[in-house]
Amino acid sequence: MREEEYILKIEHAKERLKKAEDLKELEEIKREYLGKNSFLAQILRSLGKMPPEDRVYWGKLANKWKDELEALWEEAEKRIKINIIQKRLKEEEIDITLPGRRKSIGKLHPLTQVVEDIISVFKEMGFQVVYGPELETDYYNFTALNIPQDHPVRESHDSFYVDKEYLLRTQTSPVQIRVMEKRKPPLRIVAPGKCYRRDFPDATHSPMFFQIEGLAVDYDVSFAELKGVLTIFAHRLFGKDRKVYFIPSYFPFTEPSAEMYVECGICKGEGCKACGNSGVLEILGCGMVHPQVFREVGIDPEIYTGFAFGMGLDRIAMQIYGIEDIRLFYENDLRFLTQF
Ligand SMILES: [Zn+2]
């Protein structure tokens, strides 16, 4: 082969090296021009058989071409590898201008919030939180609370009886009995939880509702302390300027008994639709623990006295949030729940 043809081939190889786009192509060029069977390798292999002057001439030339191609090949390899990295970086780039995906955060149910607010007020006054079963025996729900066998509230059409003995508790008061059976005074407890009655659901009735029960038993617990504790509670929950009233009432498990009313927050005692024009709202029932209840759990009523109270949380929550229909609390409608 003539020298000009070799030069053309070398020039062609150089062009290819400059334009090469990927490593595979680069390998092919290497095999073709620098490999064992390339014309350069053949020239170098045949040098020994050449006359001395040709050997010097072709040796120099072939090595020069080889060096040039190798240098260009390395350059091309470097360029291609950098391109690969840059391409990858671009593909994997994180677009920080994209808005993040928001996770919706859950909230406490409005009733749970009210329970927690009320509990925290009583905790500060030294009360401990306890829980009792929702499925109760007839004994804990009625008998131990001094509710006689023939009392109308025991009627099966008022309660959800599971069988002859068990029913869904109609009040949180059985928790008092369970605590007094197990522990000795002094006792200061609050017991929040669900209660059940066979009420037809309407704006103010729900067959499932929430109560909080409270109990304090010690040597010198008085009605004055009951009034003091509950007045502090009402002021903490509704505000210090709300007037609080205690009106005599009757419950089988307390003697004397009272109902606590607070001034209506909407009309400030003037009378409005929300309070039935009375200017006040009934918040809870309370009283001094009946001696018969103490005897039932083995606490001597000659030594100890105590007070108890129970309140419907739904009614309080409705007051606080200005809700007119109790059923909204139990329908789990997110449009309602996300407002709190
Ligand atoms: Zn009112």
Side-chain angles (χ1 to χ4, degrees):
M1 212 186 269
R2 306 221 340 248
E3 190 179 330
E4 290 79 31
E5 281 176 56
Y6 288 140
I7 291 168
L8 276 176
K9 275 195 162 205
I10 293 295
E11 287 307 316
H12 182 61
K14 282 179 181 174
E15 281 303 309
R16 281 182 69 188
L17 280 171
K18 279 176 195 164
K19 286 179 188 161
E21 292 277 347
D22 61 61
L23 293 171
K24 204 180 152 202
E25 196 182 343
L26 220 50
E27 281 309 308
E28 274 168 23
I29 298 171
K30 191 177 194 175
R31 200 168 43 236
E32 203 177 325
Y33 295 96
L34 295 162
K36 277 188 293 185
N37 301 318
S38 63
F39 71 91
L40 265 178
Q42 281 169 15
I43 295 171
L44 290 166
R45 263 201 305 276
S46 62
L47 286 176
K49 290 171 194 163
M50 287 184 190
E53 66 269 24
D54 281 358
R55 190 188 304 158
V56 173
Y57 181 78
W58 282 106
K60 263 190 183 171
L61 199 57
N63 276 310
K64 184 182 147 255
W65 286 338
K66 192 175 170 241
D67 289 346
E68 282 172 359
L69 287 185
E70 276 174 355
L72 272 176
W73 191 91
E74 274 171 34
E75 218 172 81
E77 189 195 32
K78 213 175 182 178
R79 173 173 52 81
I80 290 168
K81 280 187 174 171
I82 287 170
N83 280 345
I84 290 171
I85 291 168
Q86 279 176 344
K87 203 178 157 203
R88 227 182 106 186
L89 281 174
K90 207 167 184 185
E91 278 170 2
E92 293 174 10
E93 193 179 30
I94 296 165
D95 184 357
I96 52 165
T97 62
L98 267 179
R101 290 189 188 89
R102 270 179 204 283
K103 287 218 166 115
S104 52
I105 297 168
K107 288 175 166 187
L108 291 178
H109 191 281
L111 285 177
T112 310
Q113 289 178 37
V114 172
V115 172
E116 294 200 348
D117 287 349
I118 292 175
I119 283 175
S120 78
V121 174
F122 283 107
K123 269 184 177 169
E124 282 173 31
M125 290 191 277
F127 284 75
Q128 189 195 353
V129 183
V130 293
Y131 298 92
E134 285 174 33
L135 189 64
E136 267 298 3
T137 61
D138 185 89
Y139 173 78
Y140 284 105
N141 198 75
F142 297 123
T143 311
L145 288 160
N146 200 30
I147 299 168
Q149 286 294 337
D150 53 357
H151 196 283
V153 301
R154 295 179 90 131
E155 290 291 323
S156 61
H157 61 251
D158 286 331
S159 316
F160 288 109
Y161 274 89
V162 175
D163 57 22
K164 276 194 170 161
E165 200 193 345
Y166 286 94
L167 72 157
L168 292 172
R169 67 179 177 196
T170 61
Q171 49 192 351
T172 39
S173 307
V175 185
Q176 288 183 31
I177 305 298
R178 291 183 175 274
V179 169
M180 286 193 285
E181 273 181 348
K182 286 197 196 91
R183 299 199 217 158
K184 295 240 169 302
L187 293 168
R188 265 175 179 73
I189 56 135
V190 281
K194 291 182 203 121
C195 302
Y196 305 84
R197 282 179 207 173
R198 280 187 156 192
D199 282 324
F200 192 80
D202 62 22
T204 52
H205 293 87
S206 164
M208 185 189 83
F209 54 97
F210 270 83
Q211 274 195 348
I212 280 193
E213 187 76 12
L215 173 74
V217 184
D218 208 340
Y219 290 118
D220 297 310
V221 175
S222 64
F223 199 89
E225 189 181 341
L226 161 68
K227 282 179 73 176
V229 165
L230 293 179
T231 304
I232 289 169
F233 156 73
H235 284 164
R236 286 289 303 279
L237 202 65
F238 299 107
K240 267 202 166 139
D241 53 342
R242 288 274 197 118
K243 290 195 183 79
V244 178
Y245 306 94
F246 288 86
I247 292 161
S249 185
Y250 168 78
F251 303 108
F253 34 91
T254 47
E255 180 58 40
S257 304
E259 274 165 358
M260 187 176 88
Y261 287 75
V262 294
E263 191 182 40
C264 175
I266 297 162
C267 62
K268 305 279 177 218
E270 299 270 313
C272 71
K273 218 173 124 190
C275 57
N277 281 319
S278 65
V280 289
L281 295 151
E282 188 203 331
I283 294 300
L284 55 82
C286 58
M288 301 305 290
V289 179
H290 197 290
Q292 183 54 35
V293 174
F294 276 146
R295 279 191 284 272
E296 199 65 51
V297 293
I299 290 176
D300 189 345
E302 300 296 320
I303 299 171
Y304 292 104
T305 52
F307 65 76
F309 55 89
M311 63 186 106
L313 283 170
D314 308 78
R315 193 181 297 186
I316 292 173
M318 285 164 82
Q319 259 294 306
I320 291 172
Y321 296 121
I323 292 157
E324 286 171 359
D325 195 323
I326 191 173
R327 289 170 292 191
L328 287 166
F329 287 133
Y330 301 110
E331 282 170 351
N332 282 333
D333 187 334
L334 284 176
R335 289 171 301 178
F336 171 73
L337 294 175
T338 49
Q339 295 176 64
F340 301 94

